[in-house]
Amino acid sequence: MSGKIVLLCAGGTGGHLFPAEALAGALMPLGFRPHLATDERVERYTGTFAWEDIHVIPSETVRSRSPLAMANTLWQLGTGTFSAWRMLGPLAPAVVVGFGGYPTLPPLTAAAWRRIPTMIHEANAVMGRANRMLAPKVTRIATGFADVAMMDNVPKSKLVHTGNPVRPAVMEAAKTPYPGLDGPINLLVFGGSQGAAVMSAIVPSAIARLDEPLRRRLRIVQQARQEDLAAVRETYAGLGVAADVQDFFRDLPARIAGAHLVISRSGASTVAELSVIGRPSILVPLPGALDQDQAANARTLANVDGARMVMQPDFTAETLAADLTALLADPVGLQAMAANARNAGIPDAADRLADWVVKLAAM
């Protein structure tokens, strides 16, 4: 089979895999053959991907500072690096690209040892820990945001700003104009596996506090954890609010396109998709993160009036009800927020990243 192989490496979550999927889609028309290296969590997402092959590499995340946990992490990463070294020999990729997460450490480290051209993509406005470990070793560092907080000892010459690649479904959703606000109001609520709990706790209670005429206009689509589904559905049913509550939406880009307002966490992929599609949002950064990367991501949209950022201690049913009442009473303001978000998007980020893969493959 002709064409150079490019190995894309990503942790097995949507936030890491979706940009890898977008790059794969941009590389295939250029004659490249994308392979994926990841962990076992990928199974939930593989139905939408078109990889030539998927390589599951042993890995582990730093979960605890205890000596036993650290020893287990180091053992797993070492085992994964040895496995990746053996895999890279016969595979002979032209370039190896990483998209963050600890599962990228073994294949990127092994590729650097084999002197294969390497690149990492940092999606967040603050460089993640796995990418910090890899930054001194790789050939290029692509960034999703123009200003990324990272280590001082990494040469600026390695940095290229590409934006965050979005998957084809997002590009298709971006063709949908912002919906008119003269009828039902579509509210989309999601937050990923770590963020859905607070959404389930706060959003239904906030909806209950809205004036009846506004509440009757709402059409809610909300992600909730399995253990919260029944309670959230029951609350909305009791309020007489039309609501589609599920634990996972495979068609999330289309749901974003249909929304008048989005309430969500502010992971890098979420911010990128909101920007490219162009939808106003209330962003609630995940608290407790060492690097506060989600707060930095949200700030990029809040600073251009494309979103309202609310830190979790301030995200209460009372404050959300007040925000919803004010935002939904101002259709012109919502449309302006949508336009501002769209102006901040980089829809050709996957093509920009693919251009760098081409350059590295020619080294």
Side-chain angles (χ1 to χ4, degrees), residues 230-243:
V232 174
R233 288 169 176 163
E234 183 178 339
T235 299
Y236 287 137
L239 294 170
V241 175

Side-chain angles (χ1 to χ4, degrees), residues 276-287:
V276 171
I277 296 172
R279 294 297 179 267
S281 57
I282 296 173
L283 298 177
V284 186
L286 182 69

Side-chain angles (χ1 to χ4, degrees), residues 7-14 16-17 20 35-43 45-46 49 51 53-59 87 100-104 106-107:
L7 181 65
L8 308 182
C9 313
T13 64
H16 293 134
L17 286 165
H35 285 226
L36 175 68
T38 185
D39 59 39
E40 67 280 353
R41 295 173 296 171
V42 74
E43 291 180 1
Y45 302 96
T46 50
F49 293 0
W51 311 105
D53 202 359
I54 296 175
H55 310 271
V56 176
I57 304 294
S59 182
M87 178 262 292
Y102 279 91
T104 65

Side-chain angles (χ1 to χ4, degrees), residues 14-343:
H16 293 134
L17 286 165
F18 292 150
E21 177 195 9
L23 177 57
L27 287 172
M28 291 175 71
L30 301 178
F32 289 93
R33 298 157 53 196
H35 285 226
L36 175 68
T38 185
D39 59 39
E40 67 280 353
R41 295 173 296 171
V42 74
E43 291 180 1
R44 189 173 198 180
Y45 302 96
T46 50
T48 64
F49 293 0
W51 311 105
E52 182 172 303
D53 202 359
I54 296 175
H55 310 271
V56 176
I57 304 294
S59 182
E60 182 57 272
T61 299
V62 176
R63 305 180 191 278
S64 168
R65 294 294 178 182
S66 74
L68 184 60
M70 290 298 292
N72 178 64
T73 298
L74 290 173
W75 171 258
Q76 291 290 339
L77 290 174
T79 301
T81 302
F82 178 68
S83 175
W85 171 273
R86 294 181 60 187
M87 178 262 292
L88 288 172
L91 189 66
V95 184
V96 177
V97 185
F99 286 88
Y102 279 91
T104 65
L105 285 173
L108 266 294
T109 299
W113 287 349
R114 283 190 174 273
R115 300 189 181 278
I116 299 170
T118 52
M119 177 166 61
I120 54 174
H121 178 270
E122 178 49 62
N124 290 293
V126 178
M127 180 166 276
R129 281 167 284 178
N131 274 350
R132 285 185 206 170
M133 297 178 192
L134 290 167
K137 303 181 179 74
V138 298
T139 314
R140 285 286 181 274
I141 302 170
T143 65
F145 294 97
D147 298 312
V148 176
M150 56 187 300
M151 300 179 302
D152 293 333
N153 64 339
V154 175
K156 299 295 184 185
S157 59
K158 281 190 177 186
L159 297 179
V160 292
H161 175 225
T162 60
N164 281 323
V166 294
R167 48 198 162 136
V170 176
M171 297 301 295
E172 186 63 29
K175 299 175 183 177
T176 304
Y178 185 72
L181 269 161
D182 52 352
I185 297 171
N186 301 324
L187 183 66
L188 173 64
V189 185
F190 63 95
S193 59
Q194 297 182 79
V198 71
M199 300 300 174
S200 297
I202 300 300
V203 178
S205 296
I207 300 302
R209 288 168 167 77
L210 298 178
D211 291 340
E212 180 67 22
L214 176 57
R215 195 165 62 232
R216 280 202 304 266
R217 293 179 62 195
L218 292 178
R219 303 292 183 270
I220 298 175
V221 172
Q222 181 163 346
Q223 177 200 31
R225 299 182 306 172
Q226 277 283 346
E227 57 264 40
D228 298 328
L229 286 174
V232 174
R233 288 169 176 163
E234 183 178 339
T235 299
Y236 287 137
L239 294 170
V241 175
D244 179 4
V245 184
Q246 301 180 35
D247 67 333
F248 186 72
F249 292 103
R250 292 192 177 277
D251 59 344
L252 190 59
R255 305 273 186 162
I256 293 174
H260 293 99
L261 180 65
V262 176
I263 304 172
S264 72
R265 290 298 197 194
S266 51
S269 288
T270 296
V271 171
E273 293 180 2
L274 289 170
S275 301
V276 171
I277 296 172
R279 294 297 179 267
S281 57
I282 296 173
L283 298 177
V284 186
L286 182 69
L290 292 177
D291 303 320
Q292 288 298 300
D293 53 319
Q294 288 207 5
N297 298 344
R299 202 169 289 116
T300 64
L301 274 185
N303 286 346
V304 297
D305 295 325
R308 181 170 295 186
M309 181 173 75
V310 181
M311 302 307 288
Q312 187 156 310
D314 302 318
F315 187 62
T316 65
E318 293 78 11
T319 58
L320 179 58
D323 284 344
L324 288 173
T325 299
L327 288 169
L328 298 177
D330 183 13
V332 174
L334 278 178
Q335 290 173 341
M337 286 178 69
N340 292 337
R342 192 178 184 96
N343 289 337

